[in-house]
Amino acid sequence: MSMVCTGCGVPLQMEREGEKGYITGDAFMREFPLCQRCYRIKHYGEITPVSVTEQDYRATVMRALERPAVVLYAVDLFDFNGSVVRGLQGLLNQHKVIVAANKFDLFPKRTNPDRVRGWLWREARRHEIEPAEIFVVSAQTGFGIDGLYERLIREARDKPVIVVGMANVGKSSMLNRILHLSDPDEGQLYTTSPFPGTTLGSVAFKIGKTGMTVIDTPGLLGTHRLQDRVCGSSLKQILPKQPLRPRGYQLQPGQSLFLGGLARLDFVSGDPQSFVIYAANQLLVHRTKLENADELYARQRGQLLTPPCSACDESLQQMTTKKMGFKSGRPVDIVIPGLGWIRLSGSAVDLRLHTPVRIEAAVRPALI
Ligand SMILES: Nc1nc2c(ncn2[C@@H]2O[C@H](COP(=O)(O)OP(=O)(O)OP(=O)(O)O)[C@@H](O)[C@H]2O)c(=O)[nH]1
Ligand SMILES: [Mg+2]
Ligand SMILES: [Zn+2]
Ligand SMILES: [Zn+2]
């Protein structure tokens, strides 16, 4: 049997129940055969974690990119920094690249998409991504998908459209939207889920009327992002479900902010100023005196200061500290991939940021 699951791309097998790619004879006979794992995700929202190693990932994507293609590079606007696939640039050279920045629905209602797009152009260049065009979209609401679809039809007359990106940015959701635009009767063909690592192999669909072929691929997992390190229930605490409500704090030097137990920002010195947190609305933000912060963390981690919880990877409790100093200038964001960002006002300030080991915090020009 050499067929793959039409939901996730895993090679199908009927011999070993409970293992990757298992399918029953009945399900196999359907027009769009779905493996048992996809069936469970679709109908019960359950996921059996299966890991796609970096090696598998690169092999799959390299194979997909052997022939000229239109590459739809999907990024998550809530985690742009965690959406950059390292080492991918070299593979993209001979292809037309279109960036689709997804999950715009999560931004505060008044956010101007054109300004976000301008910001994305600058950030894409800074990360050596050279797209032909950037679209700001939402697979959830359908925002911007029409324009993206029209552009893809124009570009993809003789080439397939291959979606690539980090895990969980919404690649499969985006393609489902595109398939739906072309045929509103079509259900959700690609399997999607809140857990990173849903798609396991590539799956191609031909869009009848246009002759365009779209190909989904697995996303890459990374240990530098929190969404790939927390357990399932903590994931629900850090992923935004509703538009972000920015939370502003007017702080004095000698104060600290905890974002759950996953990040702590110490205000060491500088004029009193505002710090604005963009994180899931349900995530706890706790303000305390810097002198009490160590003791509070030791006593309350996993309790008040959660996530992480006891089911999360223990390494999330090993924190590293980074000193950060800023001269007065333009506002910047301190990004904690998967958790969100803290917008600084642009006043001179000395800070200390504590994050779990291997989580790669970054600084960038303010997005909002
Ligand atoms: N708020 C919001 N959530 C989205 C959007 N698009 C996708 N999601 C959610 O993001 C999660 C991941 O979506 P998928 O489409 O499975 O992402 P993927 O990139 O295919 O993930 P992998 O297959 O693991 O690489 C799901 O919980 C989706 O519901 C969007 O536009 N807005
Ligand atoms: Mg997917
Ligand atoms: Zn499947
Ligand atoms: Zn947990």
Side-chain angles (χ1 to χ4, degrees):
M1 202 158 44
S2 64
M3 278 185 65
V4 299
C5 168
T6 51
C8 71
V10 75
L12 292 169
Q13 53 93 7
M14 282 191 249
E15 294 79 36
R16 298 172 305 281
E17 189 167 359
E19 284 182 34
K20 231 160 77 163
Y22 180 74
I23 189 167
T24 60
D26 285 354
F28 185 69
M29 298 312 290
R30 303 233 163 89
E31 186 187 2
F32 299 117
L34 271 195
C35 73
Q36 193 169 52
R37 174 174 175 268
C38 280
Y39 185 86
R40 289 198 177 138
I41 293 174
K42 260 196 167 146
H43 296 278
Y44 313 118
E46 258 174 36
I47 193 163
T48 329
V50 188
S51 65
V52 179
T53 64
E54 176 148 359
Q55 236 177 352
D56 291 345
Y57 173 82
R58 298 216 181 265
T60 307
V61 171
M62 263 162 80
R63 213 173 313 118
L65 294 179
E66 265 164 11
R67 281 175 301 149
V70 178
V71 174
L72 185 59
Y73 194 150
V75 303
D76 177 347
L77 280 169
F78 178 64
D79 186 17
F80 178 78
N81 295 64
S83 300
V84 175
V85 186
R86 290 150 187 203
L88 184 66
Q89 289 91 318
L91 294 176
L92 297 183
N93 288 340
Q94 63 274 49
H95 303 288
K96 179 141 245 170
V97 177
I98 291 177
V99 166
N102 189 33
K103 308 198 187 181
F104 184 62
D105 58 286
L106 292 176
F107 277 27
K109 288 277 177 296
R110 59 176 187 279
T111 314
N112 178 345
D114 290 330
R115 292 188 69 159
V116 171
R117 220 153 56 86
W119 180 94
L120 283 163
W121 273 110
R122 293 187 293 276
E123 285 301 284
R125 284 199 196 102
R126 209 154 68 89
H127 292 274
E128 291 163 30
I129 303 168
E130 285 166 41
E133 188 57 275
I134 297 179
F135 289 87
V136 170
V137 303
S138 165
Q140 184 161 303
T141 63
F143 177 87
I145 300 283
D146 296 40
L148 173 62
Y149 180 51
E150 277 160 27
R151 178 65 184 252
L152 292 177
I153 292 174
R154 263 195 287 136
E155 301 284 355
R157 291 190 195 287
D158 49 356
K159 290 175 274 195
V161 173
I162 300 175
V163 67
V164 300
M166 292 296 285
N168 216 41
V169 299
K171 298 178 295 301
S172 304
S173 305
M174 232 187 266
L175 292 188
N176 280 339
R177 269 281 172 186
I178 287 172
L179 291 171
H180 182 78
L181 266 186
S182 70
D183 180 359
D185 293 333
E186 204 58 87
Q188 303 273 298
L189 288 172
Y190 289 113
T191 303
T192 67
S193 92
F195 305 96
T198 303
T199 305
L200 301 176
S202 28
V203 190
F205 278 109
K206 200 169 177 109
I207 299 185
K209 273 176 280 181
T210 62
M212 174 165 90
T213 299
V214 293
I215 304 179
D216 196 7
T217 68
L220 182 62
L221 297 160
T223 53
H224 61 295
R225 318 187 302 170
L226 281 165
Q227 62 270 53
D228 299 330
R229 299 262 299 272
V230 293
C231 74
S233 77
S234 294
L235 186 65
K236 294 202 180 98
Q237 295 300 308
I238 65 170
L239 286 186
K241 295 185 261 286
Q242 301 292 326
L244 300 172
R245 267 187 283 108
R247 284 179 268 179
Y249 288 83
Q250 189 65 32
L251 297 189
Q252 315 275 339
Q255 291 189 305
S256 295
L257 286 178
F258 280 97
L259 278 67
L262 288 170
R264 166 181 148 196
L265 186 71
D266 299 337
F267 185 177
V268 179
S269 66
D271 291 334
Q273 56 192 280
S274 80
F275 294 78
V276 185
I277 305 219
Y278 291 85
N281 300 336
Q282 70 274 19
L283 182 80
L284 168 102
V285 177
H286 184 78
R287 181 203 322 225
T288 184
K289 281 190 184 153
L290 172 50
E291 61 190 44
N292 298 339
D294 283 340
E295 193 252 342
L296 184 79
Y297 177 69
R299 195 159 39 86
Q300 291 289 355
R301 80 174 146 218
Q303 313 280 324
L304 169 71
L305 303 176
T306 181
C309 72
S310 52
C312 286
D313 191 324
E314 255 183 63
S315 69
L316 290 176
Q317 297 193 9
Q318 286 170 41
M319 302 293 255
T320 55
T321 304
K322 196 167 167 177
K323 280 189 185 168
M324 298 180 146
F326 298 93
K327 298 204 176 76
S328 77
R330 288 173 179 270
V332 295
D333 295 331
I334 298 179
V335 188
I336 303 142
L339 196 63
W341 63 92
I342 303 164
R343 185 184 195 276
L344 306 184
S345 65
S347 302
V349 69
D350 280 307
L351 305 168
R352 271 196 311 257
L353 179 71
H354 309 256
T355 48
V357 287
R358 297 195 302 282
I359 293 300
E360 293 177 10
V363 176
R364 67 185 189 192
L367 167 51
I368 293 177

